Amino acid sequence: MPQKSPDFDVGTSDPTRRKSSVVNPEILAGEIFDERFESTQRGLKSRHAQMIALGGTIGTGLFVGSGQTLNRGGPAFILGSYLLMSFLVFCVVTAITEVAAYLPTPGSSMNLFGYRYVSRSLGFAMGWLYFYSLGILVPYEITAAGLVIDYWHADVNIAVWITIMIVVIVGLNALPVSFYGETEFWFASTKVVMMMGLILLSFILFWGGGPNHDRLGFRYWKHPGAANTYLAGGDKGRFLALLSTLVLSAFPFTFAPELLVVTGGEMKSPRRNLPIAARRYFYRLIFFYIGCVLSISVICPSDDPALTNGGAGAGSSAFVVGIKNAGIPILDSIINGGIILSAWSSGNSFLYLSSRSLYSLALSGNAPSFFKACTKKGVPYRAVAASSLFCALAYLNVASSGSVVFNWFVNLTNTSGFISWICCGIVYLRFRKACKAQNITDLPYHSFLQPWGSWCAIVGFVFLTLINGFNVFWPQNWNASSFLTAYIGIPIFLCIYFGHRIYARNDPWAHHPEEVDLQTGMEQALAEEEPERELTGGIVNKIKILWQ
């Protein structure tokens, strides 16, 4: 049974102020540790968490979408855009890890922390944003995988492949989280190995190690050129191409940092393992994302028609195009198989995130308590069932152009990702302010980038949100559908937020720093931490310890 929290916060000398807090400890403890329902369980091992952090959400956005981005901006712009995006995303990762590692309660998510540390309205709006955005990303990955399958010109209707993938993804999420962790461990491991192999292959082709011994070098940086134009010619066209490349390059990163936070609620020893995962995240960004775009800029020309609708559906992978151009047999089909596996894995992760977002909404009282229900193994089955309904959107691909559906999902989720990262920065800044006000210094993790990193992320992603669909304002590109998908996420989020503000009009815009509850759940979180095991003995024993 959870311990009853005191009526006052240890960080303030005025006990009456705690009683006036909107999110008071008794209500918070009663919602998060509701004894009427089973709770999620800490079934994710350290190796699960580390590998999920490395490759959990690497999917078709990186393997397939990067081809369209290369075509739009050219090698110089895609490399520069990924470098900037990696910096901004790492600022978000360091901020949210500091928040999540301090108090990783059941239902850990940024919307729960927004509810606790900023306001009930922000937690409400963030939670529903995550629920529908992450839910939409599941059919996006399934749709993209179906389009990659079309590379082989299979006679089987794409609806069959969509159905198979939906059944597997929903089935995996219906199992205990340890099964999800083990599956994602191997999925992510496969993606990591494939990425390492592709980067090595690009290095070999750079020096002329392919079947035709054609030394590529930086040939494609000279012809067709390092930077493309878009919507106009000359410097203006190159500037517009840069802006468009920045927007497109954000998609492979979308909601990847949030996966770290959510796994913290079901991870063993999260106060120790989350900081480890965050520190390694930097290497993931540099090696996989930056290494990936540098590699495709070497092996694939940005004007290759196969990168857009000249290839399979929504755009063939730049890696696959480069391998075919190099005359390497069979390998392109093997890579396409790996891309399908990565889409499957990402869809699995996004459904996990969407269901846990709905579960945490219920824990904070922002969704019906009906969704708090878990099985004895800790699976929030009602939340999983509700999030799974989004999978049906994948069947839109059967009747509509796959490329159009692909871009609908890209634009809609891009805006949501930007809004989420802006909110993450706000949550961190309010959390930091509360820690200072209450003299909390024993944080498990802190980065030298903060708090300035959060301000950089907020400014950067506000700018990207505003320019997300700038191209629709050009007369030749204007249509209502593109405008809505590019910007509809902004009014949806604002309507949800201000709608709740009207409902909770007596609440402050943000909790007073001294009233923020930084204690409820701490006793449980500390009790669940396992002592760190020393890597003693021989190599076999060390491997066994790391494997656990």
Side-chain angles (χ1 to χ4, degrees):
M1 179 182 296
Q3 296 292 318
K4 185 177 180 181
S5 301
D7 286 339
F8 61 91
D9 178 49
V10 294
T12 178
S13 59
D14 184 0
T16 61
R17 297 202 65 169
R18 170 57 66 189
K19 290 181 180 178
S20 66
S21 176
V22 175
V23 185
N24 65 64
E26 285 76 14
I27 294 176
L28 198 59
E31 293 287 358
I32 296 178
F33 303 102
D34 194 334
E35 294 181 349
R36 296 174 299 165
F37 301 98
E38 296 284 346
S39 178
T40 53
Q41 297 180 5
R42 298 198 179 276
L44 293 177
K45 300 177 181 179
S46 177
R47 63 183 176 88
H48 294 157
Q50 307 310 322
M51 193 54 71
I52 289 171
L54 273 178
T57 55
I58 293 177
T60 51
L62 182 62
F63 289 117
V64 179
S66 57
Q68 182 185 6
T69 311
L70 176 66
N71 176 261
R72 180 66 54 83
F77 284 167
I78 190 176
L79 180 61
S81 296
Y82 269 68
L83 282 167
L84 176 60
M85 203 59 58
S86 294
F87 169 73
L88 294 176
V89 168
F90 190 63
C91 288
V92 173
V93 169
T94 55
I96 64 179
T97 303
E98 184 171 333
V99 174
Y102 174 70
L103 196 50
T105 59
S108 174
S109 66
M110 286 312 296
N111 55 285
L112 183 62
F113 296 129
Y115 166 80
R116 290 189 68 155
Y117 303 142
V118 184
S119 70
R120 290 197 298 169
S121 296
L122 185 65
F124 181 87
M126 289 179 70
W128 289 107
L129 172 83
Y130 288 144
F131 171 65
Y132 75 76
S133 298
L134 291 161
I136 286 172
L137 277 171
V138 181
Y140 158 76
E141 290 291 347
I142 293 171
T143 297
L147 294 170
V148 173
I149 290 174
D150 192 50
Y151 177 82
W152 293 291
H153 306 290
D155 293 330
V156 180
N157 191 295
I158 193 171
V160 175
W161 304 119
I162 288 172
T163 303
I164 292 171
M165 284 185 276
I166 288 175
V167 169
V168 173
I169 288 172
V170 174
L172 287 172
N173 275 270
L175 295 172
V177 72
S178 57
F179 285 87
Y180 164 79
E182 197 64 37
T183 305
E184 277 304 303
F185 175 81
W186 292 108
F187 274 159
S189 299
T190 303
K191 287 187 278 187
V192 167
V193 170
M194 185 170 76
M195 284 298 304
M196 292 173 66
L198 288 171
I199 292 172
L200 178 61
L201 174 66
S202 299
F203 180 76
I204 292 171
L205 293 176
F206 180 94
W207 295 105
N212 52 15
H213 301 293
D214 182 17
R215 183 172 177 176
L216 294 177
F218 287 104
R219 174 188 305 170
Y220 299 132
W221 285 65
K222 298 176 182 177
H223 180 76
N228 295 344
T229 58
Y230 180 56
L231 298 176
D235 291 340
K236 180 181 178 181
R238 280 185 284 274
F239 176 70
L240 295 175
L242 174 60
L243 292 182
S244 184
T245 305
L246 276 171
V247 171
L248 290 174
S249 66
F251 187 72
F253 299 87
T254 303
F255 297 117
E258 289 86 340
L259 182 60
L260 268 178
V261 176
V262 174
T263 54
E266 298 177 65
M267 181 192 299
K268 293 182 178 178
S269 303
R271 285 172 63 88
R272 182 176 75 246
N273 288 323
L274 271 176
I276 295 173
R279 293 185 188 100
R280 293 176 181 173
Y281 207 93
F282 176 78
Y283 303 105
R284 163 190 168 164
L285 291 171
I286 296 299
F287 185 81
F288 295 118
Y289 287 92
I290 306 304
C292 168
V293 295
L294 185 59
S295 297
I296 64 174
S297 73
V298 167
I299 67 172
C300 182
S302 62
D303 62 349
D304 195 305
L307 290 175
T308 52
N309 278 344
S316 189
S317 165
F319 279 114
V320 173
V321 174
I323 289 168
K324 285 189 70 176
N325 291 345
I328 303 174
I330 303 175
L331 187 58
D332 57 330
S333 291
I334 295 173
I335 297 306
N336 255 336
I339 292 171
I340 294 168
L341 184 69
S342 72
W344 219 326
S345 165
S346 295
N348 192 32
S349 291
F350 289 135
L351 182 56
Y352 171 79
L353 281 167
S354 178
S355 63
R356 276 13 179 222
S357 296
L358 182 56
Y359 174 68
S360 65
L361 275 169
L363 291 184
S364 59
N366 284 325
S369 59
F370 173 84
F371 293 111
K372 288 184 183 180
C374 295
T375 64
K376 290 184 178 180
K377 295 290 187 178
V379 179
Y381 61 96
R382 291 172 181 170
V384 170
S387 297
S388 299
L389 297 176
F390 285 103
C391 294
L393 292 174
Y395 291 104
L396 288 172
N397 188 54
V398 177
S400 183
S401 165
S403 184
V404 173
V405 174
F406 185 97
N407 285 305
W408 283 351
F409 288 148
V410 167
N411 284 328
L412 184 59
T413 50
N414 240 5
T415 310
S416 299
F418 296 149
I419 294 171
S420 168
W421 292 331
I422 293 166
C423 293
C424 286
I426 294 170
V427 171
Y428 171 77
L429 292 173
R430 296 302 301 179
F431 169 77
R432 180 183 175 89
K433 194 168 185 177
C435 287
K436 283 190 173 182
Q438 300 181 29
N439 197 29
I440 301 292
T441 57
D442 57 337
L443 299 173
Y445 174 80
H446 179 69
S447 170
F448 72 93
L449 287 172
Q450 302 302 333
W452 299 111
S454 291
W455 285 111
C456 289
I458 291 171
V459 172
F461 291 125
V462 165
F463 173 72
L464 288 171
T465 302
L466 295 177
I467 69 165
N468 182 56
F470 78 91
N471 57 317
V472 303
F473 296 105
W474 258 251
Q476 65 267 34
N477 285 351
W478 171 259
N479 67 76
S481 173
S482 296
F483 175 78
L484 285 174
T485 53
Y487 289 107
I488 190 87
I490 300 173
I492 287 177
F493 179 80
L494 292 177
C495 285
I496 295 171
Y497 176 78
F498 285 107
H500 191 274
R501 279 295 307 160
I502 294 170
Y503 165 77
R505 53 190 171 277
N506 294 326
D507 288 7
W509 285 93
H511 306 314
H512 192 283
E514 292 182 351
E515 292 178 351
V516 170
D517 181 7
L518 294 170
Q519 301 302 322
T520 300
M522 179 61 76
E523 186 174 340
Q524 291 84 353
L526 292 175
E528 290 172 345
E529 285 290 307
E530 297 176 357
E532 187 172 4
R533 299 179 66 179
E534 294 184 9
L535 298 180
T536 57
I539 185 66
V540 175
N541 188 55
K542 290 179 181 178
I543 293 173
K544 286 181 179 178
I545 292 172
L546 290 170
W547 188 258
Q548 293 173 351

